[in-house]
Amino acid sequence: MQHPLKHHLTLTLLALTSLSHFPPASPLTPCRTLCGTTAINYPFSIDDGCGAPQYRSMMNCTGTDLFFMTTSGRYKVQSIDYNKQTMVVYDPAMSTCSILQPHHDFVMTDVESVVIPPSSDTVFALLNCSIDSPVLNRYKNLCFNFSGHSCDELYGGCNAFRVFRSFTNSSPPCCFTGYDTVKYMSMNILDCSHYTSFINVDGLKGIGPADWVYGMKLSYAVPDTGCGRCTRSGGACGYDTETGVMMCLCSTSMNATRECGKKLILD
């Protein structure tokens, strides 16, 4: 019969040997990194206190869908390109070539307009404008030629927009313009009944509106806060929710100012 002490030592050695085959535990940061299949990386976050404070409360994860939040609604995130620092969103209340939606404004907060505005290759089309519209009179310089496309092409090539020609058998005025126009003037002031927007406009010459990509591409900058040092140490970049001071979030019970230490308290 084996001595009890020897038996205990044998079991202890076996347990230690087994543990040595498992990789060391990694820090459990309080920041989620996925919404559905969309990666959530710095500077964005879906948890308060994570990411950069400039982008606080801009993202919402509902089920498997990620939304960009503004004062005028929720805009579904189609994709995020972290290399090019762009995000494509879609306005579910926006008119497109295939559907005519009720009157709607696209409004961003002052902070959003600065840190993540629509990119230069996003064009807004103001549709069914009155002849008294300011963009056709005093501010007509805000309208520009868009890759040789015309209002007639939009009204004739899109099933949803043909209704605008049904009463007069002619195309009402429209205006191709940039984000700054809809930023400073509402649809009521613009005196246009609907709008649509499309992206990657440099590649749309000679392509009909039925094949345009409808949505908005937003361009953002990544704050330089030394975030790489934090992530390399196993943490996630975040901030103090009261002061806005950047922090390295190492676990749900331990944070650091720059990087996570070698010994972390795990929950």
Side-chain angles (χ1 to χ4, degrees), residues 23-33 47 50 230-231 233-237 248-256 260-267:
S26 59
L28 297 176
T29 70
C31 303
R32 287 175 289 172
T33 57
D47 299 300
C50 299
C230 171
T231 54
S233 71
C237 301
C248 187
L249 308 179
C250 302
S251 74
T252 56
S253 58
M254 176 182 175
N255 297 326
C260 299
K262 294 182 179 179
K263 294 183 179 180
L264 301 173
I265 301 173
L266 302 180
D267 291 343

Side-chain angles (χ1 to χ4, degrees), residues 48-74:
D48 198 23
C50 299
Q54 299 93 319
Y55 296 87
R56 185 177 188 177
S57 302
M58 286 189 188
M59 299 291 193
N60 175 262
C61 184
T62 303
T64 58
D65 293 327
L66 182 65
F67 293 92
F68 174 67
M69 313 295 291
T70 78
T71 55
S72 60
R74 305 188 334 151

Side-chain angles (χ1 to χ4, degrees), residues 9-130:
L9 289 173
T10 301
L11 291 177
T12 302
L13 288 172
L14 286 173
L16 290 173
T17 303
S18 298
L19 286 173
S20 67
H21 293 292
F22 288 92
S26 59
L28 297 176
T29 70
C31 303
R32 287 175 289 172
T33 57
L34 279 176
C35 178
T37 58
T38 304
I40 310 298
N41 298 333
Y42 185 82
F44 303 120
S45 74
I46 52 178
D47 299 300
D48 198 23
C50 299
Q54 299 93 319
Y55 296 87
R56 185 177 188 177
S57 302
M58 286 189 188
M59 299 291 193
N60 175 262
C61 184
T62 303
T64 58
D65 293 327
L66 182 65
F67 293 92
F68 174 67
M69 313 295 291
T70 78
T71 55
S72 60
R74 305 188 334 151
Y75 302 86
K76 187 174 180 179
V77 176
Q78 304 288 89
S79 62
I80 303 176
D81 190 322
Y82 288 100
N83 293 321
K84 296 181 179 178
Q85 297 181 10
T86 58
M87 177 170 65
V88 176
V89 302
Y90 182 78
D91 181 0
M94 179 183 72
S95 296
T96 68
C97 202
S98 58
I99 183 170
L100 190 66
Q101 302 272 40
H103 176 97
H104 179 66
D105 277 308
F106 173 65
V107 182
M108 300 178 77
T109 66
D110 291 340
V111 172
E112 290 168 342
S113 295
V114 171
V115 302
I116 188 167
S119 62
S120 59
D121 61 348
T122 296
V123 168
F124 290 79
L126 309 176
L127 304 171
N128 194 34
C129 300
S130 163

Side-chain angles (χ1 to χ4, degrees), residues 175-231:
C175 170
F176 296 114
T177 191
Y179 164 66
D180 282 347
T181 301
V182 297
K183 173 183 176 181
Y184 292 110
M185 289 186 278
S186 68
M187 295 299 291
N188 285 333
I189 294 175
L190 291 166
D191 208 3
C192 302
S193 65
H194 296 74
Y195 92 91
T196 189
S197 66
F198 25 88
I199 65 174
N200 302 331
V201 296
D202 292 338
L204 296 183
K205 187 174 182 179
I207 298 176
D211 295 319
W212 296 350
V213 178
Y214 290 84
M216 287 168 275
K217 184 187 293 184
L218 310 179
S219 179
Y220 65 92
V222 178
D224 184 10
T225 58
C227 181
R229 182 175 175 180
C230 171
T231 54

